[in-house]
Amino acid sequence: MKGQLSKTRNCSVFWTLIFCLSLSYIAISVQALDHQGNEFSAPRKLAGTTTLAQCLAVGGATTAFPGTTAYTNARSVYNLANQYAPAAFVFPTTVVQVQNALQCSKQFGIGIVPRGGGHSYEDYSLGGRNGVLVVDMTGFTSISYNKAAQTATIGSGWRLGPLYLALWNLGKVTLPAGNCPTVGVAGHSLGGGWGFSSRQFGMVTDNILEAQVVIANGTLVTANAQQNSDLYFALRGAGATSFGIVTQFTFQVHDVSGPITRFDYSWTNQAQQFQAFKAFQIWGVNAVSEISASFYMDPSGNSNIEGVYLGPQTSLAPLIETFVANIPTPASSDTVQTDWITLIVHNAGFPAGSNPTTVLSNPTPPTASFKAKSIYVDPPGLSDAGINAMINAMRQDSNDNAYFIFDLYGATSNINKVATSATAFVHRTSLFSIQMVAYWTQNAAQENPDLTFISNYWNAVRPFATAEAYQNYIDNAEPLSAYFGSNLNTLTGIKLKWDPKNVFNFPQSIPV
C-alpha cells in the first residue's frame, strides 16, 4: 500500500462539435448559440433513440452497462472507500464519439465525466455520485514529437508509464510528471502535476502549450495562449472535468538524454525523525532547481528522502552538503548515476534490472481503501513547535496505517517562478506540500478511527501552514478556496462563459 500510493504524485477539458455532426444516420438540428458559442436552447434528440444504449450506439463507440462483465471491470476504482455506480461507460476513440456521448448525456438528463487514469482520490473519475455517464478516454493514445520545437502532441488517454516510455523512445525527452505509471496524464496535468524534475521544468500543467477540448455545446475548440486564452488559463490547474473533455494536448517536453543521479537517505528510528525532517526543510529553502526531492515519514519511525539530480553523480555532493551536514546518521543511503528511463522504472517501485518496455507498457492500476488530505507550507518551513506537533499527531496512529509525503517546491524552483495569476494553479509560494494518507482494509470498523486520525493530523499542522491544499490530492472536506485561492473568482467567471448550464460538474467542480 505504501509503495503504491506513495508513488502517486498526482485535469482535463475538451470541446467538441456535436451540433455539426454530419453522420448520415444522425438527425440533429443546429442548436441556437449566443455570441460566445454557448448553448441556450435544449438539445434535440438523436433520431430514433429512446434509450441511452441506443443513443450511444449511434456514435459507434464501445459501451458497458450494468449487469455485464464489461461494466464490472470498468467500474474498478482506485479508492475502494468510494464505489459509485455509473449509468454506463463509453469508450470513444474519435472526437465524434465523444461529441455523441455528450449529446446523449444531455438528451437523457444524466451527468457526464471524462476518465483518464481513474486516480481521483475521491473517485470523481466516476462522477462522485451514482448514475453518471463515464467517458473513458483510454482510446486516445496518438502521439507525435517535434524535435526542433521540443514539443509532443498526444491524445488525452495516455497513462504516465507508457507515455514516459514513448517519449524516451521518440527522443529521450520527458514531462515533469509523477511516479505512478498508471496515473492518467490528463487529470494529472490539468490539476498541476508534481514530479521528480518539476523543480527544473515546472509542474506538468506549466508545460501545456495547447489543448483540444469538447465543450458543453458540443464544439471542439482549441485553447492556447493566443486562442481562447481564458479557457487555456482555466485548464492549467482547474481543468479536470469542470470545463469540458480534453481530447488532445500539446506539451513542451524536455531533454533528459544526459546522466541522471538519484539519491536516498533512510532512517528507522522515531527519535531521528525530527532532526532528519528539519535538515530537509533547511536545505530545501536554497536547493538548486536541478534537484527535485521528497521526504517521507510514517508513525513506525521510518523516514527517508528521495531526490533526483539532473546531472552527473560527480557534481552532486556540494549541492546536498547542507542537508548531509545536518542529518542524523542514516540507517542506509544510496547514490546512483543512471539514465532517465531506468530512474522511472526505479521510482515506480519495480525491481532493479526490470525491462522498461515490459513493466511500463501496460502497468496494473493499484487499488486500496484510504483517505487523503493535503496542505502547503510556506518558507522557511515548519517551526520546531510545528514539527513537534506534526510528529506527535502522527504517532497517534496505533495501527501504523498512515504515511506522509513532503514534496519540495521552494523559491529556487521553476514551479514558484510562475506568477500565482498566470495559470489556475495558484500554489506558487510554498516550500513544500504535505500529502497525508490513512488507509485500512475493507473492515468498516477500521475506517472511522483512521478518518479521525488523519483529520486530527491535519488540524495539528494547520496552525503552522497555509490554508492551501493540492487539488490532485482532492479531499471532499476542503473548500474550493483551498485549491484555487485568489484565482477562484476568475475561474467562476470562465465557467459561466464556457459552461453556463454546468454540464460538466462533480462535487468539487468550479461552480457557475
Side-chain angles (χ1 to χ4, degrees), residues 337-361:
Q337 182 171 303
T338 185
D339 61 39
W340 181 255
I341 201 64
T342 303
L343 171 75
I344 293 299
V345 170
H346 170 82
N347 281 357
F350 295 111
S354 294
N355 182 293
T357 300
T358 301
V359 299
L360 295 178
S361 294

Short mmCIF file of all heavy atoms in Angstrom, two decimals, residues 337-361:
data_model
loop_
_atom_site.label_atom_id
_atom_site.label_comp_id
_atom_site.label_asym_id
_atom_site.label_seq_id
_atom_site.Cartn_x
_atom_site.Cartn_y
_atom_site.Cartn_z
N GLN A 337 24.19 6.93 -10.28
CA GLN A 337 24.04 7.60 -11.57
C GLN A 337 23.37 6.64 -12.54
O GLN A 337 23.73 5.47 -12.62
CB GLN A 337 25.39 8.05 -12.11
CG GLN A 337 25.27 8.81 -13.44
CD GLN A 337 26.58 9.45 -13.87
OE1 GLN A 337 27.16 10.24 -13.14
NE2 GLN A 337 27.04 9.12 -15.07
N THR A 338 22.39 7.14 -13.26
CA THR A 338 21.60 6.27 -14.12
C THR A 338 21.14 7.05 -15.33
O THR A 338 21.62 8.15 -15.61
CB THR A 338 20.40 5.70 -13.31
OG1 THR A 338 19.70 4.76 -14.10
CG2 THR A 338 19.47 6.79 -12.84
N ASP A 339 20.20 6.49 -16.10
CA ASP A 339 19.56 7.25 -17.17
C ASP A 339 18.09 7.45 -16.80
O ASP A 339 17.57 6.86 -15.85
CB ASP A 339 19.72 6.58 -18.53
CG ASP A 339 19.10 5.19 -18.59
OD1 ASP A 339 18.01 4.97 -18.03
OD2 ASP A 339 19.72 4.30 -19.20
N TRP A 340 17.41 8.29 -17.56
CA TRP A 340 16.07 8.72 -17.17
C TRP A 340 15.07 7.57 -17.14
O TRP A 340 14.30 7.44 -16.19
CB TRP A 340 15.57 9.81 -18.12
CG TRP A 340 14.21 10.30 -17.76
CD1 TRP A 340 13.03 10.03 -18.38
CD2 TRP A 340 13.88 11.15 -16.64
NE1 TRP A 340 11.98 10.64 -17.74
CE2 TRP A 340 12.48 11.34 -16.67
CE3 TRP A 340 14.62 11.76 -15.63
CZ2 TRP A 340 11.81 12.12 -15.74
CZ3 TRP A 340 13.95 12.55 -14.70
CH2 TRP A 340 12.57 12.71 -14.75
N ILE A 341 15.05 6.72 -18.15
CA ILE A 341 14.03 5.68 -18.18
C ILE A 341 14.27 4.63 -17.10
O ILE A 341 13.32 4.08 -16.54
CB ILE A 341 13.93 5.04 -19.59
CG1 ILE A 341 12.56 4.35 -19.76
CG2 ILE A 341 15.09 4.10 -19.84
CD1 ILE A 341 11.37 5.27 -19.72
N THR A 342 15.52 4.39 -16.74
CA THR A 342 15.81 3.49 -15.63
C THR A 342 15.36 4.10 -14.31
O THR A 342 14.86 3.40 -13.42
CB THR A 342 17.31 3.15 -15.59
OG1 THR A 342 17.70 2.58 -16.85
CG2 THR A 342 17.63 2.15 -14.48
N LEU A 343 15.52 5.41 -14.18
CA LEU A 343 15.01 6.11 -13.00
C LEU A 343 13.50 5.96 -12.89
O LEU A 343 12.97 5.71 -11.80
CB LEU A 343 15.38 7.59 -13.07
CG LEU A 343 14.74 8.47 -12.00
CD1 LEU A 343 15.44 8.25 -10.65
CD2 LEU A 343 14.79 9.94 -12.39
N ILE A 344 12.80 6.12 -14.00
CA ILE A 344 11.33 5.99 -13.99
C ILE A 344 10.93 4.61 -13.49
O ILE A 344 10.01 4.47 -12.67
CB ILE A 344 10.76 6.25 -15.39
CG1 ILE A 344 10.97 7.71 -15.81
CG2 ILE A 344 9.28 5.87 -15.46
CD1 ILE A 344 10.31 8.73 -14.92
N VAL A 345 11.61 3.58 -13.96
CA VAL A 345 11.32 2.21 -13.53
C VAL A 345 11.57 2.06 -12.04
O VAL A 345 10.77 1.48 -11.30
CB VAL A 345 12.16 1.21 -14.35
CG1 VAL A 345 12.07 -0.19 -13.75
CG2 VAL A 345 11.70 1.20 -15.81
N HIS A 346 12.69 2.60 -11.56
CA HIS A 346 13.03 2.53 -10.14
C HIS A 346 11.99 3.27 -9.29
O HIS A 346 11.50 2.72 -8.28
CB HIS A 346 14.42 3.13 -9.90
CG HIS A 346 14.77 3.32 -8.46
ND1 HIS A 346 15.25 2.32 -7.67
CD2 HIS A 346 14.66 4.42 -7.65
CE1 HIS A 346 15.45 2.76 -6.43
NE2 HIS A 346 15.10 4.04 -6.40
N ASN A 347 11.65 4.49 -9.67
CA ASN A 347 10.72 5.29 -8.88
C ASN A 347 9.31 4.72 -8.88
O ASN A 347 8.53 4.99 -7.96
CB ASN A 347 10.70 6.73 -9.38
CG ASN A 347 11.88 7.54 -8.90
OD1 ASN A 347 12.71 7.05 -8.14
ND2 ASN A 347 11.99 8.77 -9.34
N ALA A 348 8.98 3.94 -9.88
CA ALA A 348 7.68 3.29 -9.93
C ALA A 348 7.62 2.06 -9.04
O ALA A 348 6.55 1.45 -8.89
CB ALA A 348 7.32 2.91 -11.36
N GLY A 349 8.75 1.69 -8.45
CA GLY A 349 8.77 0.59 -7.50
C GLY A 349 9.04 -0.78 -8.11
O GLY A 349 8.90 -1.80 -7.42
N PHE A 350 9.45 -0.83 -9.37
CA PHE A 350 9.75 -2.11 -9.98
C PHE A 350 11.15 -2.59 -9.58
O PHE A 350 12.03 -1.78 -9.26
CB PHE A 350 9.66 -2.01 -11.50
CG PHE A 350 8.27 -1.73 -11.99
CD1 PHE A 350 7.94 -0.51 -12.57
CD2 PHE A 350 7.27 -2.69 -11.87
CE1 PHE A 350 6.67 -0.24 -13.03
CE2 PHE A 350 5.97 -2.43 -12.32
CZ PHE A 350 5.68 -1.21 -12.89
N PRO A 351 11.39 -3.89 -9.59
CA PRO A 351 12.69 -4.43 -9.17
C PRO A 351 13.83 -3.93 -10.06
O PRO A 351 13.64 -3.65 -11.25
CB PRO A 351 12.52 -5.95 -9.32
CG PRO A 351 11.05 -6.19 -9.28
CD PRO A 351 10.42 -4.96 -9.89
N ALA A 352 15.00 -3.82 -9.48
CA ALA A 352 16.20 -3.43 -10.23
C ALA A 352 16.40 -4.39 -11.40
O ALA A 352 16.22 -5.60 -11.28
CB ALA A 352 17.42 -3.44 -9.32
N GLY A 353 16.78 -3.83 -12.54
CA GLY A 353 17.01 -4.65 -13.71
C GLY A 353 15.78 -4.92 -14.55
O GLY A 353 15.86 -5.58 -15.59
N SER A 354 14.60 -4.41 -14.11
CA SER A 354 13.38 -4.62 -14.89
C SER A 354 13.49 -3.97 -16.26
O SER A 354 14.03 -2.87 -16.41
CB SER A 354 12.17 -4.03 -14.15
OG SER A 354 11.91 -4.70 -12.94
N ASN A 355 12.96 -4.64 -17.26
CA ASN A 355 12.96 -4.10 -18.61
C ASN A 355 11.90 -3.00 -18.71
O ASN A 355 10.72 -3.26 -18.46
CB ASN A 355 12.66 -5.22 -19.61
CG ASN A 355 12.70 -4.73 -21.04
OD1 ASN A 355 11.88 -3.93 -21.46
ND2 ASN A 355 13.66 -5.22 -21.80
N PRO A 356 12.28 -1.78 -19.09
CA PRO A 356 11.29 -0.69 -19.13
C PRO A 356 10.09 -0.99 -20.02
O PRO A 356 8.95 -0.67 -19.65
CB PRO A 356 12.10 0.49 -19.67
CG PRO A 356 13.51 0.20 -19.26
CD PRO A 356 13.64 -1.29 -19.37
N THR A 357 10.33 -1.59 -21.16
CA THR A 357 9.22 -1.90 -22.06
C THR A 357 8.25 -2.87 -21.41
O THR A 357 7.02 -2.73 -21.52
CB THR A 357 9.75 -2.49 -23.38
OG1 THR A 357 10.61 -1.53 -24.00
CG2 THR A 357 8.61 -2.82 -24.33
N THR A 358 8.78 -3.86 -20.71
CA THR A 358 7.94 -4.87 -20.07
C THR A 358 7.08 -4.29 -18.96
O THR A 358 5.88 -4.57 -18.88
CB THR A 358 8.82 -6.00 -19.51
OG1 THR A 358 9.57 -6.59 -20.57
CG2 THR A 358 7.97 -7.07 -18.83
N VAL A 359 7.67 -3.46 -18.11
CA VAL A 359 6.95 -3.02 -16.91
C VAL A 359 6.15 -1.74 -17.10
O VAL A 359 5.20 -1.48 -16.35
CB VAL A 359 7.91 -2.86 -15.71
CG1 VAL A 359 8.56 -4.19 -15.37
CG2 VAL A 359 8.97 -1.80 -15.97
N LEU A 360 6.52 -0.92 -18.09
CA LEU A 360 5.83 0.36 -18.27
C LEU A 360 4.75 0.34 -19.34
O LEU A 360 3.89 1.22 -19.37
CB LEU A 360 6.85 1.45 -18.61
CG LEU A 360 7.88 1.80 -17.53
CD1 LEU A 360 8.84 2.87 -18.05
CD2 LEU A 360 7.20 2.26 -16.25
N SER A 361 4.77 -0.63 -20.23
CA SER A 361 3.85 -0.62 -21.36
C SER A 361 2.39 -0.77 -20.95
O SER A 361 1.51 -0.12 -21.52
CB SER A 361 4.22 -1.73 -22.36
OG SER A 361 5.48 -1.46 -22.94
#
